[in-house]
Amino acid sequence: MCDHLFVVTGGPGSGKSSLIEALGRRGVQSMPEAGRAIIRDQVQIGGTALPWDDRSAFAQLMLGWELRSHHEAAAMPGPVVMDRGVPDVVGYLTLCGLPVPDYVETAARLFAYNKRVFLAPFWSEIFTQDAERKQDRQEAEATCKVMADTYARLGYELIELPFLDIEARADFVMRHLRL
């Protein structure tokens, strides 16, 4: 386990990336989200490992990204905030109704993070869709629930982010990082 790695998870459009950017402005190191980068790359190359085309292949690319991010962040001085983690791949496969291979479950247990995980709940006031975020409100809410269930099942303590402006949310996280 890497106690200095803190995951922010939840559904799409819940303010995770904006929060991590705000923390970065305060000097907190971070690792970026896999999903958007994979989507951009796959669209650019004409690939099919996309959540609306081949969800299994998309999950495989996410797993590789999250493992690399974990290795890279583990070597950094802490704290490091992760925009999602390896357990998110388990959650994604579960959400999609796809089987979770044993090796993915093993990866989620072996590549651990600080036991305190920040959960960004669905927030209708800030939820938007775009070219890379095509999920509707129902899928966004379901994603948040499955991520919460997945992390809890793996033994993590969920800390729900409050519905506050970005700087107040960053203050909230900073207090928890100092514990």
Side-chain angles (χ1 to χ4, degrees):
M1 177 173 42
C2 292
D3 277 341
H4 71 291
L5 305 183
F6 292 85
V7 172
V8 178
T9 191
S14 57
K16 295 178 304 299
S17 298
S18 297
L19 169 63
I20 291 169
E21 289 171 12
L23 292 168
R25 290 190 296 273
R26 296 174 183 211
V28 178
Q29 298 181 95
S30 66
M31 296 303 293
E33 176 192 11
R36 281 188 176 271
I38 291 167
I39 290 169
R40 279 191 298 271
D41 290 347
Q42 288 294 301
V43 168
Q44 185 174 7
I45 67 171
T48 59
L50 295 161
W52 52 85
D53 198 350
D54 186 341
R55 290 180 167 202
S56 292
F58 181 67
Q60 289 301 312
L61 291 179
M62 282 196 304
L63 178 62
W65 179 289
E66 296 301 350
L67 292 174
R68 182 203 49 79
S69 290
H70 191 284
H71 286 297
E72 188 175 323
M76 299 165 73
V80 180
V81 177
M82 315 292 288
D83 196 336
R84 301 196 178 277
V86 176
D88 282 77
V89 179
V90 175
Y92 176 75
L93 289 166
T94 302
L95 176 73
C96 295
L98 296 170
V100 178
D102 289 342
Y103 66 88
V104 175
E105 187 75 31
T106 298
R109 293 187 184 284
L110 286 178
F111 293 87
Y113 305 87
N114 187 286
K115 287 297 180 187
R116 288 173 288 149
V117 169
F118 297 99
L119 178 69
F122 179 78
W123 191 353
S124 60
E125 286 80 10
I126 67 170
F127 177 77
T128 59
Q129 295 170 295
D130 58 35
E132 295 160 357
R133 184 186 298 134
K134 296 183 179 194
Q135 301 94 331
D136 62 18
R137 174 191 175 107
Q138 291 75 28
E139 189 173 355
E141 289 178 295
T143 300
C144 183
K145 179 171 181 359
V146 84
M147 294 307 167
D149 292 347
T150 299
Y151 276 90
R153 181 179 61 77
L154 291 168
Y156 290 94
E157 171 194 345
L158 295 168
I159 300 171
E160 190 167 307
L161 294 172
F163 297 112
L164 299 170
D165 69 73
I166 197 68
E167 293 305 320
R169 254 189 175 187
D171 290 341
F172 176 85
V173 171
M174 292 295 288
R175 285 191 298 275
H176 283 278
L177 294 180
R178 291 193 180 110
L179 291 176

